[in-house]
Amino acid sequence: MSFDGLGHHDWLRGVKGSERQAIDGFKLLQQRKFRATASMCLHKLNRDSLRPTANFLAKLGVAVLMVSTPQELGIWKRYSQEYALTFDEAWEIYREYIPQWYADGSPLDIHLEGFFTCRRENPRNYEISFMQKISAGADWSKIAACGSIQHSIFIGPEGRVVPCMGFSDTVIADKFPAIFEQTLPEALEDKFYRGVLEIKMADYLKSQPQCAECPHLNSCGGGCLLDGITDAGDLLVPEERVCHFYKNIGAAVVKEIADASIAKYLN
């Protein structure tokens, strides 16, 4: 379930009392021994609530907290200039929280966008999701442009069957099959749906030949298809966030912070 910051959930959802309802929902899941996952959208108003939110949700039995900044789609576009965090601002929040997560005893599994992912059961074994680790000399014609959409499906708020929830609020949303008009197996064989799943890195590199010369290609893989989508619906566009990460931050900085936190709090 979505939970957008302790004391801040109502604002982003636009419904008074929605935070209390979400908390009650987590309590019910905890009582009935269901494994719960929470998603938190980070913005300027709730930027200081990450640590208390994580610890609060952990006490409610939430197993995983996924944190990200909202995509600039739909209604959020109206508010993004005033409330959206820049990529560097979001990184500073994550940079501060990684040591806090270890200091608090790794209260739950944590996903901080592509910067840092770690399970509480094995806090020494963290991952940097921005790093895809594609082997040198890879056959780009056999590598999917997005690996995650090969293993999941979503039904958007208007009943569109999409490979990732983010597709449900883009300019190409109406091209996806509708669950009200056909069965789920039929929808999964839809030509447009299958076409998105079958986009390969070779297709991406044909569209973006400059990326073939980039030294970070085997780590970034072009980034997220959705985060680069244009107003015309072109998916074969580099994700600016990933480019910025490799050119201005780098995995070494994340590793340094995580390793120092492990040495301080786990050894």
Side-chain angles (χ1 to χ4, degrees):
M1 293 192 296
S2 295
F3 191 81
D4 297 307
L6 191 62
H8 297 277
H9 186 75
D10 285 9
W11 178 82
L12 190 60
R13 297 293 146 181
V15 179
K16 187 176 181 180
S18 58
E19 180 169 329
R20 171 48 54 189
Q21 290 180 322
I23 292 171
D24 290 344
F26 283 123
K27 288 181 177 179
L28 283 172
L29 292 169
Q30 183 180 36
Q31 292 169 9
R32 300 182 185 184
K33 304 187 185 305
F34 282 94
R35 186 175 186 272
T37 296
S39 296
M40 178 180 176
C41 285
L42 202 62
H43 51 81
K44 287 184 178 179
L45 295 183
N46 69 356
R47 60 182 302 160
D48 297 324
S49 69
L50 177 53
R51 186 179 192 179
T53 297
N55 291 335
F56 177 78
L57 292 175
K59 291 179 181 178
L60 292 181
V62 174
V64 184
L65 176 59
M66 299 183 293
V67 189
S68 63
T69 51
Q71 291 177 286
E72 293 188 13
L73 301 170
I75 295 176
W76 183 247
K77 277 187 174 181
R78 304 180 198 171
Y79 301 95
S80 59
Q81 288 188 340
E82 184 175 358
Y83 297 109
L85 297 163
T86 67
F87 187 73
D88 287 326
E89 287 173 334
W91 160 235
E92 288 304 317
I93 295 170
Y94 301 144
R95 180 182 189 135
E96 179 180 351
Y97 181 64
I98 292 171
Q100 295 173 344
W101 183 77
Y102 283 101
D104 294 340
S106 312
L108 36 55
D109 295 2
I110 193 73
H111 298 257
L112 304 177
E113 292 195 45
F115 290 101
F116 180 83
T117 296
C118 199
R119 299 183 63 185
R120 61 170 303 183
E121 292 85 358
N122 192 0
R124 298 178 187 274
N125 188 25
Y126 61 87
E127 296 181 359
I128 301 171
S129 300
F130 283 140
M131 300 180 65
Q132 297 194 29
K133 301 178 182 178
I134 302 171
S135 60
D139 185 347
W140 298 115
S141 67
K142 296 181 180 179
I143 298 177
C146 179
S148 63
I149 62 175
Q150 311 301 312
H151 311 291
S152 60
I153 61 171
F154 292 84
I155 298 177
E158 295 182 354
R160 297 285 176 180
V161 180
V162 292
C164 170
M165 183 56 78
F167 280 103
S168 64
D169 199 10
T170 64
V171 294
I172 61 174
D174 291 344
K175 295 183 178 181
F176 286 99
I179 196 65
F180 304 116
E181 299 172 1
Q182 53 193 302
T183 66
L184 182 57
E186 289 172 340
L188 296 179
E189 294 301 321
D190 176 81
K191 183 177 180 180
F192 186 79
Y193 181 94
R194 298 300 309 175
V196 172
L197 263 62
E198 292 166 6
I199 296 175
K200 304 298 184 186
M201 279 299 298
D203 302 316
Y204 171 80
L205 292 174
K206 184 178 180 179
S207 175
Q208 304 293 331
Q210 76 281 3
C211 289
E213 306 300 323
C214 178
H216 305 297
L217 177 62
N218 289 73
S219 294
C220 83
C224 173
L225 291 176
L226 268 182
D227 282 338
I229 190 172
T230 68
D231 290 337
D234 184 3
L235 294 170
L236 302 179
V237 180
E239 181 187 356
E240 292 183 2
R241 299 185 317 154
V242 175
C243 288
H244 186 87
F245 172 78
Y246 279 100
K247 293 177 180 178
N248 299 285
I249 298 173
V253 174
V254 183
K255 290 179 179 178
E256 181 181 358
I257 294 169
D259 291 344
S261 301
I262 290 171
K264 181 175 183 179
Y265 296 109
L266 298 184
N267 291 342

